[in-house]
Amino acid sequence: MFEVTDIFAQTAIILFTAAIVGFIAIRLKQPLIVAYIAVGILLGPAVVGVVQTNDQIHLLAQLGIALLLFIVGLKLDLSIIKTMGPVALATGIGQVVFTSLFGYLIALALGFDWIASLYIAVALTFSSTIIIVKLLSDKREVDSLHGRIAVGFLIVQDILVIVAMIALNALSGAQVPGHVGPNVIQIAVNGVIFILCIGVLMRYVLTPFLFYLSRSRELLLIFTISWAVALAALGHYLGFSKEVGAFVAGVSLASTPYRDVIEAKLTSLRDFLLLFFFVDLGSNLDLLNVSHQIPEALLFSVFVLVGNPIIVMVIMGIMGYRKRTGFLAGLTVAQISEFSLILGALGVSLGHVQQDVLGLITLVGLITISGSTYMILYSHPLYLKLANVLSVFERKHAHRESELSAADETQGHDLVVFGLGRFGKTIAKAFSKKGYKVLGVDFNPEVVRRAQAEGIAVCYGDAEDSEFIETLNLQETRWVIGAIHDNHICALLEKTLNGFGFKGISAFAVQDHKHQMSLSSEGALAFVPQEYAAQYLAEQLLAKGETK
């Protein structure tokens, strides 16, 4: 081991190592959080010894946390919870309640004291919004029914994590269970005054002030950072933590017309600063101390990887959702989040728990984040293997999804179009004008509702769900169009149609010639929409030019 005392050189080594390990993590399809913690372990005292605990790295880590909570507050979209109705609230709150209850009991059974058990239980309940939204975006499933439900209850979790931070700060005066400390009333009073003052600023000051600042992008960026850090510091001073103060700072700007610009400018800076938090976290892990916690970490990890999805599937099954939707949404809570690690670090700073509890939470985080990433990436093949077993989580009549579908309209159609974006909707309307009976299928419930309002026969469904496709009874259908613009889904849909013995004509929108040739060799029509549009435009321009 060797020690680097120069902070600039130390930072250079951290950044360079993070870039290399991050590249490896991306190749392994792992989130960068795992890579950064691994960098901290590698460069920390337990291995190489380059990174030592110092005030500079700790400051950068704290700034990263403040910006993380600021952006969470900034993009808090309560409309998603509203549009998803009861399922986001019921699933989000229900999962948090059941996970924390069972987690607390497991921790007590393993010999942890009540406050350590409380921190562990709370840490197990929250899932990473950043990781899940990124994975769903990469799979183009954010707008699917299970994606929208998942984002809805993740927002509920983000709100609850703020409540948990306030509650745990209130425990700083507690010495025995049931005694919440003398500072609770003071914190409550401070909080009310704080929120009222921020409300007045939101109503009368912030929007017009940002209007003037927006003339200078650099000044707008500096102000938003200073606003986040200032309210974080004020939150700490008033007794309900820097994290809560930064979150309120974000909420205070969420209703302004500049929030998207602010978020776009701060996201990269947030990711850069959070690197130091996770590196600092990893460097403080004592591998010898953590090694004896591996059995407990594995037990908690199995509970999160398996138990959390089961809790979500049970709740969604009771509410009338199909087993497939419940399974795909449930996988999104099969890991703990960066907030779990922040809560653990908060507990250490408040003196509630020892470093070994934070080490245990971090170990569970590494295992569950790594494992759940692959579970989400390969969720559809995983579902196909478990479909029969998962039937126990589905009611006989999944009325929630039936409301989105037109079951009596899914038979006897000339054309079925999967994907009702601009391209698919144009095809559907063109065939309808010619007198053909058309059915549209889309996995985005909002698209389904809009199409129904326009008078298009449409039902909610997923082109990757072979069980759903079987219900369409395509024996008399003449054409099936895959207007999804996703090569993998188009190939899977073609395979499903062939498996059902579809005799009609199938055509698919693909993104490149490689997949066009592959699908064409199977007997389907495959085309690249952009090329068709460009060719049509060129013909129109040439025709107009030749007439002049």
Side-chain angles (χ1 to χ4, degrees), residues 85-106:
V87 64
L89 289 171
T91 310
I93 296 174
Q95 182 263 320
V96 167
V97 170
F98 283 107
T99 300
S100 57
L101 175 61
F102 288 119
Y104 183 75
L105 294 176
I106 293 172

Side-chain angles (χ1 to χ4, degrees), residues 238-259:
L238 295 176
F240 40 81
S241 83
K242 295 184 288 290
E243 293 80 7
V244 174
F247 174 80
V248 173
V251 172
S252 69
L253 302 183
S255 60
T256 68
Y258 310 101
R259 75 170 195 171

Side-chain angles (χ1 to χ4, degrees), residues 41 72 97 144 155 159 296 318 352 383 401 407 419 450 519 538:
I41 295 173
V72 168
V97 170
S144 66
I155 291 174
I159 295 172
E296 291 90 345
I318 292 172
H352 292 167
Y383 170 76
E401 294 184 44
R450 286 198 298 268
L519 283 171

Side-chain angles (χ1 to χ4, degrees), residues 76-94:
L76 186 63
D77 192 353
L78 297 177
S79 64
I80 294 180
I81 300 176
K82 183 179 179 180
T83 56
M84 289 318 302
V87 64
L89 289 171
T91 310
I93 296 174

Side-chain angles (χ1 to χ4, degrees), residues 378-390:
Y378 301 103
S379 57
H380 297 286
L382 192 59
Y383 170 76
L384 293 177
K385 293 182 181 296
L386 299 174
N388 292 333
V389 179
L390 297 175

